[in-house]
Amino acid sequence: MRQLRDNLVRWTIALVIVLAFGEFIVRISVTTPSNQQFDEKLGWTYVPHSTIYSSREGGAFLKLNSLGANDVEPELKRLKKRILFLGDSITEALQVPREQNFTTVLEGLAPQIEAVNLGRSAMGPVHYPVLLDRHSPNLKPDEVVIVLSPGDLLDTLQSNVVIQKDPESATESIGLAPAINDRIKEKLGPLLRRSALVTHLARRLKPVLTQSVKKAMCWVRDCPASDASAIRDQSYAERNQVEAERRLRMVLAPLAQATHLSIVHVPALVYKTERRIEHQYPWEGAIYRTVCSSLEIPYLDTTDALKKSYQRSGQPGHGFSNAIVGQGHLNAEGHRAVGQAIDTWLQNLTSPATDERSNP
């Protein structure tokens, strides 16, 4: 028994050392502990003032602000024109140092502008009214820019998007239902927020863990009617373009009436030899342009800027050397091109003669 106890102690010490070493290696080279917290309306948000790092694409150690966003603190005194940028991971830009993302590039080119970045991974058009309701009263933006990127039409078709009809007025509204995935994540939250190793393993095992826990929860109690884990792909959105366009219009129409709204489109591109590019999902941009035109929302397609950047430098605006060059998120070159395009576009939105916005 004594020998068994001694062996158990030795193995326990060895396991602790291995886990501690693994935790150290993962923290400095792979990722930080999860800094996500459950949010009833948005699914999840980042813990304010937390640090975030991921090496899956590019990688930069970033300190989030009090809003849980990848940006500096919004200025207390409104000395500049404040533009609120809403978007997904393309806008959030965790892959590059903050000084290289397109909102910071814009501020460098236009010192009179404060570009507040509220981008967050895995968000889509249906999330943005919630964000505006939550932050507009305090931030009081002069303008709102929604950055639409690949998959945003698909996001409007996901199974956690709910369409409700008012029986009296017969009008429809669009919103989000809490997803099982986010509730499962919150159950594991205390452990995930303390260990980078557990966070990394959980991401690797996410499909298996999600399905297993979901089955267990559904066995204990009835599953909700809406489940965001039933993910659909881009081919589904392409087959359902009419419905996707209708839903996007439902989101943007009330925002256009309530705010000074503009749309920027950052497309998915295929970078080819001889410095040529093609759209990966050309139908997305066509729908964005049609919806914005019908609602009289100023619209910028950054394709031309990314094309000229590629032709000039030979460097694709998407992708990283530690992932796939030409695919994925914007790199520093892509952010520079997009930031410069937005700067030029914003200058042209206001006519000096009339001081009214135009739609170039």
Side-chain angles (χ1 to χ4, degrees):
M1 288 297 295
R2 181 176 181 180
Q3 183 178 2
L4 178 62
R5 184 183 61 191
D6 291 343
N7 287 338
L8 182 60
V9 170
R10 283 195 291 268
W11 279 108
T12 301
I13 293 174
L15 180 61
V16 170
I17 293 174
V18 169
L19 290 176
F21 182 72
E23 179 74 19
F24 173 75
I25 294 298
V26 171
R27 283 187 183 234
I28 65 172
S29 62
V30 181
T31 189
T32 49
S34 173
N35 57 354
Q36 298 175 7
Q37 57 187 1
F38 180 71
D39 185 285
E40 189 68 35
K41 292 186 176 181
L42 295 173
W44 59 272
T45 57
Y46 287 119
V47 175
H49 302 298
S50 58
T51 301
I52 187 167
Y53 171 76
S54 175
S55 63
R56 285 178 290 181
E57 276 185 280
F61 283 94
L62 300 163
K63 179 78 171 181
L64 305 183
N65 62 18
S66 62
L67 304 177
N70 179 25
D71 203 350
V72 297
E73 287 296 319
E75 297 179 4
L76 293 177
K77 293 184 178 180
R78 295 287 305 280
L79 302 177
K80 300 179 180 180
K81 180 179 182 180
R82 176 170 288 170
I83 302 179
L84 194 61
F85 282 82
L86 305 175
D88 59 12
S89 56
I90 294 291
T91 305
E92 181 184 42
L94 300 181
Q95 298 75 30
V96 298
R98 183 174 297 152
E99 62 270 15
Q100 295 180 357
N101 69 37
F102 68 77
T103 53
T104 307
V105 170
L106 172 62
E107 289 180 328
L109 294 170
Q112 75 280 9
I113 288 177
E114 181 191 9
V116 179
N117 187 340
L118 282 183
R120 199 216 72 191
S121 301
M123 284 203 301
V126 187
H127 293 85
Y128 303 145
V130 177
L131 273 179
L132 281 176
D133 287 343
R134 185 172 295 181
H135 295 296
S136 284
N138 292 327
L139 293 176
K140 297 180 174 60
D142 298 296
E143 295 191 22
V144 174
V145 174
I146 290 179
V147 182
L148 295 177
S149 52
D152 275 335
L153 286 175
L154 176 62
D155 288 337
T156 67
L157 298 169
Q158 295 295 355
S159 52
N160 66 320
V161 175
V162 179
I163 306 293
Q164 294 181 328
K165 191 170 184 178
D166 188 319
E168 296 183 0
S169 62
T171 57
E172 290 184 320
S173 60
I174 188 169
L176 290 163
I180 283 184
N181 283 5
D182 296 318
R183 294 191 181 278
I184 293 174
K185 191 185 302 179
E186 181 58 19
K187 297 295 182 183
L188 302 174
L191 185 57
L192 293 172
R193 286 191 282 270
R194 286 173 173 80
S195 171
L197 180 60
V198 173
T199 298
H200 178 59
L201 292 175
R203 287 171 180 166
R204 290 283 187 175
L205 300 173
K206 181 179 177 180
V208 176
L209 290 173
T210 298
Q211 291 302 318
S212 299
V213 178
K214 186 176 72 172
K215 288 180 180 179
M217 291 177 66
C218 292
W219 181 75
V220 173
R221 61 183 184 186
D222 293 336
C223 293
S226 177
D227 177 11
S229 63
I231 299 298
R232 295 157 176 167
D233 58 21
Q234 280 286 56
S235 62
Y236 182 87
E238 188 172 8
R239 294 193 305 270
N240 294 272
Q241 293 181 43
V242 174
E243 178 61 15
E245 178 178 338
R246 185 180 79 91
R247 293 187 177 200
L248 181 63
R249 196 183 305 273
M250 290 174 62
V251 173
L252 296 183
L255 294 183
Q257 295 177 354
T259 65
H260 217 187
L261 180 67
S262 300
I263 300 295
V264 171
H265 175 210
V266 179
L269 300 175
V270 179
Y271 294 87
K272 294 184 169 291
T273 57
E274 300 179 356
R275 303 190 181 186
R276 295 178 296 111
I277 64 170
E278 293 179 0
H279 279 278
Q280 189 171 358
Y281 309 113
W283 46 272
E284 276 192 326
I287 291 177
Y288 294 155
R289 187 179 295 275
T290 298
V291 171
C292 289
S293 177
S294 66
L295 296 176
E296 298 184 341
I297 300 173
Y299 171 78
L300 170 66
D301 184 346
T302 60
T303 300
D304 191 53
L306 290 165
K307 178 181 179 180
K308 289 179 178 178
S309 173
Y310 181 46
Q311 291 174 338
R312 182 186 66 254
S313 66
Q315 168 67 50
H318 294 77
F320 297 84
S321 58
N322 63 345
I324 302 177
V325 176
Q327 298 181 25
H329 291 85
L330 293 175
N331 52 37
E333 184 68 28
H335 278 284
R336 186 181 303 110
V338 170
Q340 292 171 346
I342 294 175
D343 174 50
T344 302
W345 175 65
L346 288 175
Q347 292 180 43
N348 294 331
L349 277 181
T350 302
S351 169
T354 63
D355 197 33
E356 294 179 355
R357 301 207 322 169
S358 59
N359 192 354

